[in-house]
Amino acid sequence: MTCLPEVHACLLCFGPPIQRARLCSYVTGAPVNHPRHKKCHEDLIEAAKPLASITVGSGQREELRDIVMDALHFIEEQKANKPLNESLQEAINTIWAKLSELGKVPACIPPCGFQPAARVFQCATCRFVDCQFALDCPVQDLWTYTDETIVLHCKVPFTIPTGLPVTWLFVPDLRTQDMTLFRKLNGNPEKPFSLTIEEPAPGTVACSLGEPSKPIVRKFFYLNAQCLLLLASLLILAAPGHSVHTRTLNTFKKSPSNSSSSALKRTTWPRDCSEVPAGSSSGVYIIQPVGLHPIMVYCELGGADRGWTVIQRNRQDTDITWAESWSTYKHGFGNVHSEFWLGTEYIHQITRQKIYQVRFVIWDAANNMRFADYNLFSLDDESQGYRLRLGTHSGTAEDAMDSDNPRKVHNNMKFSTKDRDQDTYRGNCASRYGGGWWYSACYSVQLNVKGGLTWGSLCKGNCKASAILIKPTAYH
């Protein structure tokens, strides 16, 4: 017989399972299949639920065991004095009181990496677990000049074994944590924890601590090259056939000192693509939203309906995994010439400036283009989870972002990623389905995913491609 399989919250962590069955038999005086015995099980299950949140340090497990076993013995002792529900509640209260007297649980050192010194014991699983931080640290943005020397340090805020190997890697142009795209760099064997780059080029540098097959932590640095006249040629090398518009390049210049510490000066940077001069063609431009550093975006400027800032683009056969961390989604990743996510923080900052509308463009399974427009679009700030706000729908694609079904709605939902669960599902939709999105429980639309794009009933997991564009409304 398996006794009380649902009661995993501390009450089954210590002693054999038969002990809980004996407890109910002793307290009720009834056999296992009797209703009173079953009611005892149900009361234990209900009372134990709050204990699932208990976490103690690895060295405090035995103290926790003593506290729990004393509570169970107390219930037995009160058989003749109190009803079961009263003695059970008193036992649970005693557990909480004694737990408050334990020393503080050892703090995990954020934000990333395998940290064996910070193991804890969880009542929810009855197991020792390591701090649940991602192996990969958030990407650090570095603004550099292409004619200066920079030094990167692969240091972490916790103790690591001596003699740990360090591997440095690089991927050009992209802001990513997808390790399949990186290529190994030759570091300095005398100073393995540092990397000197004499002429930084745009792209992501990664350092991996530990054996390549089993690292304990990975750090990432995204190099934003600020000497944009050189940046144009670098982009041509990274993406043949593409370049930054000359008009865009002419909006930047270095200060007369021409030193590596010189700052870029603003002349006429547009706040979004709607401010790019009339007559410009679609392509990559530099914008600077209010209060934000310059960022590179793709502008759709063709036809009468011009001025769209592209914030997302994806295709079914993309090379991007899309299963990225909160920090990576916050600052964006991918290649603005092909598939990319602009960054939730940057999207929020743009939509703070004016009143914006949004267009979701979908290529269905037959490669027919459809679009869904919403006359209002904004994201709340990070403290509010980048919650999505949409207006009224129109267009040739169904209104799949808003729904009367609370399990499928996306409007007014917070953004979730594999390491920050803010959906309404009992699990983590982003971990389960492979990409960050405004999930409920879980989705009707999923465009940030590798190989299985979905838009309502139009194309369930077999959309060919997608793009999300925003621009100010006519009444901003």
Side-chain angles (χ1 to χ4, degrees), residues 107-248:
C108 292
I109 306 171
C112 50
F114 174 71
Q115 300 163 38
R119 300 188 78 204
V120 294
F121 180 81
Q122 290 182 336
C123 277
T125 60
C126 297
R127 296 175 181 174
F128 289 106
V129 296
D130 298 305
C131 291
Q132 298 301 300
F133 292 121
L135 172 68
D136 294 337
C137 296
V139 180
Q140 299 179 38
D141 279 281
L142 299 177
W143 291 86
T144 66
Y145 292 107
T146 53
D147 58 354
E148 73 176 341
T149 298
I150 63 170
V151 180
L152 304 178
H153 300 284
C154 198
K155 296 179 180 178
V156 292
F158 55 92
T159 303
I160 59 175
T162 57
L164 204 63
V166 182
T167 305
W168 290 93
L169 308 102
F170 178 70
V171 58
D173 196 31
L174 297 177
R175 188 185 194 280
T176 182
Q177 290 178 288
D178 184 351
M179 296 306 297
T180 62
L181 302 176
F182 284 82
R183 297 294 178 264
K184 187 176 178 180
L185 293 173
N186 294 322
N188 185 348
E190 297 180 0
K191 296 181 179 180
F193 288 88
S194 299
L195 178 71
T196 300
I197 304 177
E198 294 185 357
E199 293 187 6
T204 305
V205 177
C207 71
S208 176
L209 291 176
E211 296 297 333
S213 61
K214 196 175 181 180
I216 66 168
V217 66
R218 288 192 291 246
K219 295 183 67 176
F220 298 85
F221 309 87
Y222 180 60
L223 308 180
N224 296 270
Q226 297 217 59
C227 186
L228 294 177
L229 292 175
L230 292 177
L231 177 59
S233 61
L234 290 168
L235 286 172
I236 293 171
L237 292 174
H242 297 281
S243 64
V244 178
H245 291 282
T246 304
R247 182 175 302 186
T248 302

Side-chain angles (χ1 to χ4, degrees), residues 41-76:
H41 282 194
E42 293 171 358
D43 290 343
L44 279 172
I45 291 170
E46 191 62 30
K49 286 180 180 178
L51 301 180
S53 63
I54 294 175
T55 299
V56 298
S58 57
Q60 298 170 323
R61 179 186 180 278
E62 290 306 310
E63 294 178 84
L64 175 62
R65 179 188 182 280
D66 292 342
I67 291 172
V68 172
M69 297 307 292
D70 287 347
L72 294 176
H73 292 151
F74 171 80
I75 296 172
E76 293 180 355

Side-chain angles (χ1 to χ4, degrees), residues 76-82:
E76 293 180 355
E77 294 169 355
Q78 296 300 313
K79 172 186 176 181
N81 302 325
K82 299 179 179 179

Side-chain angles (χ1 to χ4, degrees), residues 299-448:
C299 296
E300 282 289 348
L301 304 173
D305 190 21
R306 64 182 305 280
W308 293 95
T309 303
V310 183
I311 64 173
Q312 185 264 17
R313 195 157 49 197
N314 193 12
R315 56 186 171 87
Q316 195 174 43
D317 57 349
T318 179
D319 293 328
I320 298 176
T321 67
W322 292 92
E324 300 284 3
S325 66
W326 177 268
S327 175
T328 301
Y329 266 97
K330 177 179 178 178
H331 297 291
F333 56 90
N335 186 334
V336 292
H337 294 294
S338 53
E339 300 87 50
F340 69 96
W341 176 254
L342 183 61
T344 39
E345 178 63 24
Y346 300 157
I347 298 168
H348 160 68
Q349 294 291 348
I350 292 173
T351 60
R352 289 179 59 206
Q353 306 176 115
K354 310 169 187 176
I355 301 174
Y356 283 81
Q357 57 186 309
V358 64
R359 171 167 292 174
F360 294 88
V361 183
I362 312 298
W363 285 262
D364 64 18
N367 213 28
N368 299 312
M369 187 184 76
R370 310 285 185 89
F371 67 91
D373 287 352
Y374 295 85
N375 67 348
L376 295 175
F377 171 82
S378 68
L379 296 189
D380 292 353
D381 64 22
E382 185 176 17
S383 69
Q384 300 300 311
Y386 296 122
R387 191 184 297 274
L388 174 65
R389 309 291 187 180
L390 294 175
T392 303
H393 166 268
S394 63
T396 58
E398 66 187 283
D399 182 6
M401 292 295 289
D402 214 345
S403 172
D404 293 331
N405 183 347
R407 297 178 58 83
K408 298 294 183 70
V409 68
H410 299 290
N411 190 19
N412 295 314
M413 291 295 107
K414 293 182 178 181
F415 198 83
S416 288
T417 59
K418 64 182 182 181
D419 58 342
R420 187 168 300 190
D421 182 9
Q422 301 191 114
D423 58 46
T424 59
Y425 181 58
R426 65 178 180 273
N428 185 332
C429 295
S431 291
R432 182 173 182 179
Y433 295 106
W437 195 248
W438 297 279
Y439 293 106
S440 50
C442 277
Y443 67 88
S444 172
V445 173
Q446 170 53 303
L447 304 181
N448 290 353

